[in-house]
Amino acid sequence: MSMEAKTQPMAQLSGLSPRDVLRAARLPIAIVVVLILFGLVEPRVLSLGNFRNIALQASYLAIFAMAQTMVLLTRGFDLSLGYTVSLVSVAASMAMVAMGGGDASILYGVGAAALIAGAIGLANGVLIAGIGINPLVTTLGMANMVLAFASTISGGFPVTGLPKSLTAEFAQGSLLSIPMPIWIAALVFVLLFLVLKATRFGRSLYIIGANPRAAVAAGIRTVPVLVLAYVLCALLAALGALLLTARTGSGEPNLGGNLTLEAIAAAVVGGVRLARGEGGVGAAVLGALFVTVLSNGMNLVQIDGYLQQICLGVIIIVSLIVNRDEARR
Amino acid sequence: MSSETATMTVANAPSHRASRLDRFLMQGGIVITFLVVAVVATALIEPRFLNRLNLLNVMRNFALLLIPSLAQMLVMTAGGFDLSVGAVVAATSVVTAAVMLVGNGYFPGMELAVIIASLVIALGVGALVGLVNAGLVSAFSLSPFMVTLAMMSVLMGIALYFTQGIPIYGVTDSFVANVGRGQFLGLPIVLWAALGVLAACIVMQRFTALGRHIYAVGSDQRSARLSGVATGRTLIAAYMLAGLLAALTGYLMTSRLGSGQSTIGGTLALETIAAAVIGGVSLRGGVGRAELVALAALFLSVIANAMNLVQVDSRYQTLVLGAVLIIALAIERLLLRKRQS
């Protein structure tokens, strides 16, 4: 364990041992095993239609997990993510309805979503990086403030009368027979992957996560980097919120209730290391796929929704323990 | 914004006065100021606040916030976090009611024994949850935040699975009458219970080895271990005590509601963290005093009551709670930064 700990920061540079390969393949193997186990009980799990279904559902969760990853990498958290999704869904829908509900109104909805999410992310970032308040408590407080708006601006009721094309294009539409949400999640993945690997901003996130003091000493201006990370997280949450709104066809004040937990769970299961600046968007996507495969399987074998909640908790703990060895110092 | 201007005025004042003000604010002055302002403002705006019945109501709510806030304080001073506190309350409320329902069926006429048995079983559940939390945090050195978040999900799942969200009726009537609605010397029983817990916490923090060990582990786990503190055992004690207090809250809440409810406690994690933080408990562990947490819990209960009296939509109350939490922390940080510079 201790030997690994020493080599760990440079792990990507050293050659790949069989153990490294096994470690990297652990989650994909787990996904296949879970699929097969559920498939034994319920053959429909392994049908082509269900695979498409899983990919579609995972793409929404993957966007939220990638959003959460942006701040997890910096030793941060965003507990306001779920309620940001709720607020954006309602507010963007109200903007679209107010603008007549035609195709052009979608742009106003996107604009409203970006403004609101940008403001939430900016507030989080300034409080956390600028003033220096603990990210957990800042975003917990922010979550409750956002929830208050999400549950009141539409009187607590779903907002209906959205443009038909929103659902037709962004939820049911497909390109090369691959559904639109999957394309969008893939695009987000590619962009974030490049940002993390190839930009100054991306590398700064990892350095801040690995050692905040060293980051300052290395001349990184941590405050703008962190603020940008929180803004990016909130904007990605807003993108996911718009896609979910397109899927339900209405603005829903309760849309994001469980998403905070699920997004954190997906990122953690994927191997984004809390408070260590490790992991990446690839881990978030794999984690989202694993969580989705599991909940899809449990739905198909008709396991009670509350039992699924128990499973989610257990899985978080198990994956924390499994991922721990490499990180222990 | 207002906090910034406040510190700026402080900075412009003569230095010795500023430092005295600083010291007052750092040592619980913030929470005392908050409390006094809240009480005076509420009494002026809404005289009904001072009605006897309303004050009794405030005291009951205060008591049921104080006990879990002290639980949160114990874990936070030990360097941890307990997001599962509300879920323990919900789960133990269900357990309490279920034990009473079953117990009264099998042993009619032995009400007191059933009431005591349900308390013992609820406390056992709380202690078990605390033990598991602490075991995972200390044995695998996992993040307390993640462990208790997962525990919250598990406990809520269990409570909701067994009840399907439906309240469990059949709570013993004399339990509701004597504990939930009961009074002793003109004050609610639940308040006496909370004050007892508060006194026990103060004594533990000030005068016992466990109290000192919790501070030591919270401020620097490594140094604590090197100085001979059994850090694992201290963490287990802190989390188990927190579990016990959360269970006691669930038990007392059941006595007030008259039924076991799996849906209570949803905002309790936020409220208890807010009470602890406003009461000066450090998020980095090692700092925190029970009496200041009690004042903060009283402050939160007063503003909640004030909002009810002036009929603020309950959905906006979380807005105020979140804002108060962030403002209190911002003031604390800005003071700390000024002090360091």
Side-chain angles (χ1 to χ4, degrees), chain B residues 177-246:
Chain B
N178 293 324
V179 179
R181 302 200 184 122
Q183 291 186 6
F184 177 67
L185 299 178
L187 294 176
I189 294 280
V190 287
L191 182 65
W192 286 110
L195 293 177
V197 170
L198 174 63
C201 281
I202 292 174
V203 169
M204 192 209 71
Q205 286 189 322
R206 291 265 166 92
F207 303 113
T208 68
L210 176 63
R212 285 191 297 273
H213 288 175
I214 288 178
Y215 284 124
V217 169
S219 50
D220 190 344
Q221 198 163 340
R222 231 175 86 88
S223 325
R225 188 180 305 128
L226 293 175
S227 339
V229 175
T231 54
R233 234 181 292 162
T234 307
L235 277 177
I236 288 175
Y239 278 91
M240 279 180 79
L241 282 174
L244 284 174
L245 294 185

Coordinates of all heavy atoms in Angstrom, one line a residue, chain B residues 177-246:
Chain B
A177 N -49.6 11.8 26.1 CA -50.1 12.8 27.1 C -49.0 13.2 28.1 O -48.9 14.4 28.4 CB -51.3 12.1 27.8
N178 N -48.2 12.2 28.5 CA -47.3 12.5 29.6 C -45.9 13.0 29.2 O -45.2 13.7 29.9 CB -47.1 11.3 30.5 CG -48.4 11.0 31.3 OD1 -49.1 11.9 31.6 ND2 -48.7 9.7 31.4
V179 N -45.5 12.5 28.0 CA -44.1 12.9 27.5 C -44.3 14.1 26.5 O -43.7 15.2 26.7 CB -43.4 11.7 26.9 CG1 -42.0 12.2 26.4 CG2 -43.2 10.6 27.9
G180 N -45.0 13.8 25.4 CA -45.1 14.8 24.3 C -45.8 16.1 24.8 O -45.3 17.2 24.5
R181 N -46.9 15.9 25.5 CA -47.6 17.1 25.9 C -47.4 17.4 27.4 O -48.0 18.4 27.9 CB -49.1 16.9 25.6 CG -49.4 16.6 24.2 CD -50.8 16.9 23.8 NE -51.0 16.5 22.4 CZ -51.9 15.6 21.9 NH1 -52.7 15.0 22.8 NH2 -51.9 15.3 20.7
G182 N -46.7 16.6 28.0 CA -46.5 16.7 29.5 C -45.7 17.9 29.9 O -44.9 18.4 29.1
Q183 N -46.0 18.4 31.1 CA -45.2 19.5 31.7 C -44.7 19.2 33.1 O -45.3 18.4 33.8 CB -46.0 20.8 31.7 CG -46.4 21.3 30.3 CD -47.1 22.6 30.4 OE1 -47.2 23.2 31.4 NE2 -47.5 23.1 29.2
F184 N -43.6 19.8 33.4 CA -43.1 19.6 34.8 C -42.7 21.0 35.3 O -41.9 21.7 34.5 CB -42.0 18.6 34.8 CG -41.3 18.5 36.2 CD1 -42.0 17.9 37.2 CD2 -40.0 18.9 36.4 CE1 -41.4 17.8 38.5 CE2 -39.4 18.8 37.6 CZ -40.1 18.2 38.7
L185 N -43.2 21.5 36.4 CA -42.9 22.8 36.9 C -43.2 23.9 35.8 O -42.5 24.9 35.6 CB -41.4 23.0 37.3 CG -41.0 22.1 38.5 CD1 -39.5 22.3 38.7 CD2 -41.8 22.3 39.7
G186 N -44.3 23.7 35.0 CA -44.7 24.6 34.0 C -43.9 24.6 32.7 O -44.2 25.4 31.8
L187 N -42.9 23.8 32.6 CA -42.1 23.7 31.4 C -42.3 22.3 30.7 O -42.5 21.3 31.4 CB -40.6 23.9 31.7 CG -40.3 25.3 32.2 CD1 -38.8 25.4 32.5 CD2 -40.6 26.4 31.1
P188 N -42.3 22.2 29.4 CA -42.5 21.0 28.7 C -41.5 19.9 29.1 O -40.3 20.3 29.4 CB -42.4 21.3 27.2 CG -42.5 22.8 27.2 CD -42.1 23.3 28.5
I189 N -41.9 18.7 29.2 CA -41.0 17.6 29.5 C -39.9 17.5 28.5 O -38.7 17.3 28.9 CB -41.8 16.2 29.5 CG1 -42.8 16.2 30.7 CG2 -40.8 15.1 29.6 CD1 -42.3 15.9 32.0
V190 N -40.2 17.7 27.2 CA -39.2 17.6 26.2 C -38.1 18.6 26.5 O -36.9 18.4 26.2 CB -39.7 17.7 24.8 CG1 -40.5 16.5 24.4 CG2 -40.5 18.9 24.6
L191 N -38.5 19.8 27.0 CA -37.5 20.8 27.3 C -36.6 20.4 28.4 O -35.3 20.5 28.3 CB -38.1 22.2 27.6 CG -37.1 23.3 27.9 CD1 -36.4 23.7 26.7 CD2 -37.9 24.5 28.4
W192 N -37.2 19.8 29.4 CA -36.3 19.3 30.5 C -35.4 18.2 30.0 O -34.2 18.2 30.4 CB -37.2 18.6 31.6 CG -37.9 19.7 32.5 CD1 -39.3 19.9 32.5 CD2 -37.4 20.6 33.4 NE1 -39.6 20.9 33.3 CE2 -38.4 21.4 33.9 CE3 -36.1 20.8 33.9 CZ2 -38.2 22.3 34.9 CZ3 -35.9 21.8 34.8 CH2 -36.9 22.5 35.3
A193 N -35.9 17.4 29.1 CA -35.0 16.3 28.6 C -33.8 17.0 27.9 O -32.6 16.6 28.0 CB -35.8 15.4 27.6
A194 N -34.1 18.0 27.0 CA -33.1 18.7 26.3 C -32.1 19.4 27.2 O -30.9 19.3 26.9 CB -33.7 19.6 25.3
L195 N -32.6 20.0 28.2 CA -31.7 20.7 29.1 C -30.8 19.7 29.9 O -29.6 20.0 30.1 CB -32.5 21.6 30.1 CG -33.2 22.8 29.5 CD1 -34.1 23.5 30.6 CD2 -32.3 23.7 28.8
G196 N -31.4 18.6 30.2 CA -30.6 17.5 30.8 C -29.4 17.1 29.9 O -28.3 17.0 30.3
V197 N -29.8 16.9 28.6 CA -28.7 16.5 27.7 C -27.7 17.6 27.5 O -26.5 17.3 27.5 CB -29.4 16.2 26.3 CG1 -28.3 16.0 25.2 CG2 -30.3 15.0 26.3
L198 N -28.2 18.8 27.5 CA -27.2 20.0 27.4 C -26.3 20.0 28.6 O -25.1 20.1 28.4 CB -28.0 21.3 27.3 CG -27.2 22.6 27.4 CD1 -26.3 22.6 26.1 CD2 -28.1 23.8 27.4
A199 N -26.8 19.8 29.8 CA -26.0 19.8 31.0 C -25.0 18.7 30.9 O -23.8 18.9 31.2 CB -26.8 19.7 32.2
A200 N -25.4 17.5 30.5 CA -24.5 16.4 30.4 C -23.4 16.7 29.4 O -22.2 16.4 29.6 CB -25.3 15.1 30.0
C201 N -23.7 17.3 28.3 CA -22.7 17.6 27.2 C -21.7 18.6 27.8 O -20.5 18.5 27.5 CB -23.4 18.2 26.0 SG -24.1 17.0 24.9
I202 N -22.2 19.6 28.5 CA -21.3 20.6 29.0 C -20.3 20.0 30.0 O -19.1 20.2 29.9 CB -22.1 21.8 29.7 CG1 -22.9 22.6 28.7 CG2 -21.1 22.7 30.5 CD1 -23.8 23.6 29.3
V203 N -20.9 19.2 30.9 CA -20.0 18.5 31.9 C -19.0 17.6 31.1 O -17.8 17.6 31.4 CB -20.9 17.6 32.8 CG1 -20.0 16.7 33.7 CG2 -21.7 18.5 33.7
M204 N -19.5 16.9 30.1 CA -18.6 16.0 29.4 C -17.4 16.8 28.7 O -16.3 16.4 28.8 CB -19.4 15.2 28.4 CG -18.6 14.0 27.8 SD -19.1 13.7 26.1 CE -18.5 15.1 25.3
Q205 N -17.8 17.9 28.1 CA -16.8 18.6 27.4 C -15.8 19.3 28.3 O -14.6 19.3 28.0 CB -17.5 19.7 26.5 CG -18.2 19.2 25.3 CD -18.6 20.4 24.4 OE1 -19.1 21.4 24.9 NE2 -18.6 20.2 23.1
R206 N -16.3 19.7 29.5 CA -15.4 20.5 30.4 C -14.6 19.6 31.3 O -13.4 19.8 31.6 CB -16.2 21.4 31.3 CG -16.9 22.5 30.6 CD -16.0 23.8 30.7 NE -16.5 24.8 29.7 CZ -17.4 25.7 30.0 NH1 -17.9 25.8 31.3 NH2 -17.8 26.6 29.1
F207 N -15.2 18.5 31.8 CA -14.6 17.8 32.9 C -14.2 16.3 32.7 O -13.8 15.7 33.6 CB -15.6 17.9 34.1 CG -15.9 19.3 34.5 CD1 -17.2 19.8 34.3 CD2 -14.9 20.1 35.0 CE1 -17.5 21.1 34.7 CE2 -15.3 21.4 35.3 CZ -16.6 21.9 35.2
T208 N -14.4 15.8 31.5 CA -14.1 14.4 31.4 C -13.0 14.2 30.3 O -12.8 15.0 29.5 CB -15.3 13.6 30.9 OG1 -15.6 14.0 29.5 CG2 -16.5 13.8 31.8
A209 N -12.4 13.0 30.5 CA -11.3 12.7 29.5 C -11.9 12.6 28.1 O -11.3 13.0 27.2 CB -10.6 11.4 30.0
L210 N -13.0 11.9 28.0 CA -13.6 11.8 26.7 C -13.8 13.1 26.0 O -13.5 13.3 24.8 CB -15.0 11.1 26.8 CG -15.7 10.9 25.5 CD1 -14.9 10.1 24.5 CD2 -17.1 10.3 25.7
G211 N -14.3 14.1 26.8 CA -14.5 15.4 26.2 C -13.2 16.0 25.7 O -13.2 16.5 24.5
R212 N -12.1 15.9 26.4 CA -10.8 16.4 26.0 C -10.3 15.6 24.8 O -9.8 16.2 23.9 CB -9.8 16.4 27.1 CG -10.0 17.5 28.2 CD -8.9 17.5 29.1 NE -8.7 16.3 29.9 CZ -9.3 16.0 31.0 NH1 -10.2 16.9 31.5 NH2 -9.1 14.9 31.7
H213 N -10.6 14.3 24.8 CA -10.1 13.5 23.7 C -10.8 13.9 22.4 O -10.2 13.9 21.3 CB -10.3 12.0 24.0 CG -9.3 11.5 25.1 ND1 -9.4 10.2 25.6 CD2 -8.3 12.1 25.7 CE1 -8.4 10.1 26.5 NE2 -7.8 11.2 26.6
I214 N -12.1 14.1 22.5 CA -12.9 14.5 21.3 C -12.3 15.8 20.7 O -12.0 15.9 19.5 CB -14.4 14.7 21.6 CG1 -15.0 13.3 21.9 CG2 -15.1 15.4 20.5 CD1 -16.5 13.4 22.2
Y215 N -12.0 16.8 21.6 CA -11.4 18.0 21.0 C -10.0 17.7 20.4 O -9.7 18.2 19.3 CB -11.1 19.0 22.2 CG -12.4 19.7 22.6 CD1 -12.8 19.7 23.9 CD2 -13.1 20.5 21.7 CE1 -13.9 20.4 24.4 CE2 -14.3 21.2 22.1 CZ -14.6 21.1 23.5 OH -15.8 21.8 23.9
A216 N -9.2 16.8 21.1 CA -7.9 16.5 20.6 C -8.0 15.8 19.2 O -7.3 16.2 18.3 CB -7.2 15.7 21.6
V217 N -8.8 14.8 19.1 CA -9.0 14.1 17.9 C -9.4 15.0 16.7 O -9.0 15.0 15.6 CB -9.9 12.9 18.0 CG1 -10.3 12.3 16.7 CG2 -9.3 11.9 18.9
G218 N -10.4 15.9 17.1 CA -10.9 16.8 16.1 C -9.9 17.8 15.6 O -9.9 18.2 14.4
S219 N -9.1 18.3 16.5 CA -8.1 19.4 16.0 C -7.0 18.8 15.3 O -6.5 19.4 14.3 CB -7.7 20.3 17.2 OG -7.2 19.5 18.2
D220 N -6.5 17.6 15.7 CA -5.4 17.0 14.9 C -5.3 15.5 15.3 O -4.7 15.2 16.3 CB -4.0 17.7 15.2 CG -3.0 17.2 14.3 OD1 -3.2 16.2 13.7 OD2 -1.9 17.9 14.2
Q221 N -5.8 14.7 14.4 CA -5.9 13.3 14.7 C -4.6 12.6 15.0 O -4.4 11.8 15.9 CB -6.7 12.6 13.6 CG -7.2 11.2 14.1 CD -8.3 10.7 13.1 OE1 -8.9 11.5 12.4 NE2 -8.5 9.4 13.1
R222 N -3.6 13.1 14.1 CA -2.3 12.4 14.2 C -1.6 12.8 15.6 O -1.1 11.9 16.3 CB -1.4 13.0 13.1 CG -0.7 11.9 12.3 CD 0.0 12.5 11.1 NE 1.3 12.9 11.5 CZ 2.4 12.1 11.4 NH1 2.2 10.9 11.0 NH2 3.6 12.5 11.8
S223 N -1.6 14.1 15.9 CA -1.0 14.4 17.2 C -1.7 13.8 18.3 O -1.1 13.4 19.3 CB -1.1 16.0 17.4 OG -0.9 16.6 16.2
A224 N -3.1 13.7 18.2 CA -3.8 13.0 19.3 C -3.4 11.6 19.5 O -3.1 11.1 20.6 CB -5.3 13.1 19.0
R225 N -3.2 10.9 18.3 CA -2.8 9.5 18.4 C -1.4 9.4 19.0 O -1.1 8.6 19.9 CB -2.8 8.8 17.1 CG -2.6 7.3 17.1 CD -2.6 6.7 15.8 NE -3.8 6.9 15.0 CZ -3.8 7.4 13.8 NH1 -2.7 7.6 13.2 NH2 -4.9 7.6 13.2
L226 N -0.5 10.3 18.6 CA 0.9 10.3 19.1 C 0.9 10.6 20.6 O 1.8 10.2 21.3 CB 1.8 11.2 18.3 CG 2.0 10.8 16.8 CD1 2.7 11.9 16.1 CD2 2.6 9.5 16.7
S227 N 0.0 11.4 21.1 CA 0.0 11.7 22.5 C -0.8 10.6 23.3 O -1.0 10.9 24.5 CB -0.7 13.1 22.8 OG -0.7 13.9 21.6
G228 N -1.1 9.6 22.7 CA -1.7 8.4 23.4 C -3.2 8.4 23.5 O -3.7 7.6 24.3
V229 N -3.9 9.2 22.7 CA -5.3 9.2 22.7 C -5.7 8.0 21.8 O -5.2 7.9 20.7 CB -5.9 10.5 22.2 CG1 -7.4 10.4 22.1 CG2 -5.5 11.6 23.1
A230 N -6.7 7.2 22.3 CA -7.2 6.1 21.4 C -8.2 6.7 20.4 O -9.3 6.9 20.7 CB -7.9 5.0 22.3
T231 N -7.6 7.1 19.3 CA -8.5 7.9 18.4 C -9.7 7.2 17.9 O -10.8 7.7 17.8 CB -7.6 8.4 17.2 OG1 -7.0 7.3 16.6 CG2 -6.6 9.4 17.6
G232 N -9.5 5.9 17.5 CA -10.6 5.1 17.0 C -11.7 5.0 18.0 O -12.9 5.3 17.7
R233 N -11.3 4.7 19.3 CA -12.4 4.6 20.3 C -13.1 5.9 20.6 O -14.3 6.0 20.8 CB -11.7 4.1 21.6 CG -12.5 2.8 22.1 CD -11.9 2.3 23.4 NE -10.5 1.8 23.2 CZ -9.6 1.6 24.2 NH1 -10.0 1.9 25.4 NH2 -8.4 1.1 23.9
T234 N -12.3 7.0 20.5 CA -12.9 8.3 20.7 C -13.9 8.7 19.6 O -15.0 9.2 19.9 CB -11.8 9.4 20.8 OG1 -10.8 9.0 21.7 CG2 -12.4 10.8 21.1
L235 N -13.5 8.4 18.4 CA -14.5 8.6 17.3 C -15.7 7.8 17.5 O -16.8 8.3 17.3 CB -13.8 8.3 15.9 CG -12.9 9.3 15.3 CD1 -12.3 8.8 14.0 CD2 -13.7 10.6 15.0
I236 N -15.5 6.5 17.8 CA -16.7 5.6 18.0 C -17.6 6.2 19.1 O -18.8 6.3 19.0 CB -16.2 4.2 18.4 CG1 -15.7 3.5 17.1 CG2 -17.4 3.4 18.9 CD1 -15.1 2.2 17.4
A237 N -17.0 6.7 20.2 CA -17.8 7.3 21.3 C -18.6 8.5 20.8 O -19.8 8.6 21.1 CB -16.9 7.6 22.5
A238 N -17.9 9.4 20.0 CA -18.5 10.6 19.6 C -19.7 10.2 18.6 O -20.8 10.8 18.8 CB -17.5 11.5 18.8
Y239 N -19.5 9.3 17.7 CA -20.6 9.0 16.7 C -21.7 8.3 17.4 O -22.9 8.4 17.1 CB -20.0 8.2 15.6 CG -19.4 9.0 14.5 CD1 -18.0 9.3 14.5 CD2 -20.1 9.5 13.4 CE1 -17.4 10.1 13.5 CE2 -19.6 10.3 12.4 CZ -18.2 10.5 12.5 OH -17.6 11.3 11.5
M240 N -21.3 7.4 18.4 CA -22.4 6.6 19.1 C -23.2 7.6 19.9 O -24.5 7.4 20.0 CB -21.8 5.5 19.9 CG -21.5 4.3 19.1 SD -20.8 2.9 20.0 CE -22.2 2.2 20.8
L241 N -22.6 8.5 20.6 CA -23.3 9.4 21.4 C -24.3 10.2 20.5 O -25.4 10.5 20.8 CB -22.4 10.4 22.2 CG -21.7 9.8 23.4 CD1 -20.7 10.8 24.0 CD2 -22.8 9.5 24.5
A242 N -23.7 10.6 19.4 CA -24.6 11.4 18.4 C -25.7 10.5 18.0 O -26.9 11.0 17.9 CB -23.7 11.8 17.2
G243 N -25.5 9.2 17.7 CA -26.6 8.4 17.3 C -27.6 8.2 18.4 O -28.8 8.3 18.2
L244 N -27.2 8.2 19.7 CA -28.1 8.1 20.8 C -28.9 9.3 20.9 O -30.2 9.2 21.1 CB -27.3 7.9 22.1 CG -26.7 6.5 22.4 CD1 -25.8 6.6 23.6 CD2 -27.8 5.5 22.6
L245 N -28.3 10.5 20.7 CA -29.1 11.7 20.8 C -30.1 11.8 19.7 O -31.2 12.3 19.9 CB -28.1 12.9 20.9 CG -27.2 13.0 22.1 CD1 -26.4 14.3 22.1 CD2 -28.0 13.0 23.4
A246 N -29.7 11.4 18.5 CA -30.6 11.5 17.4 C -31.8 10.6 17.6 O -32.9 10.9 17.4 CB -29.9 11.1 16.1

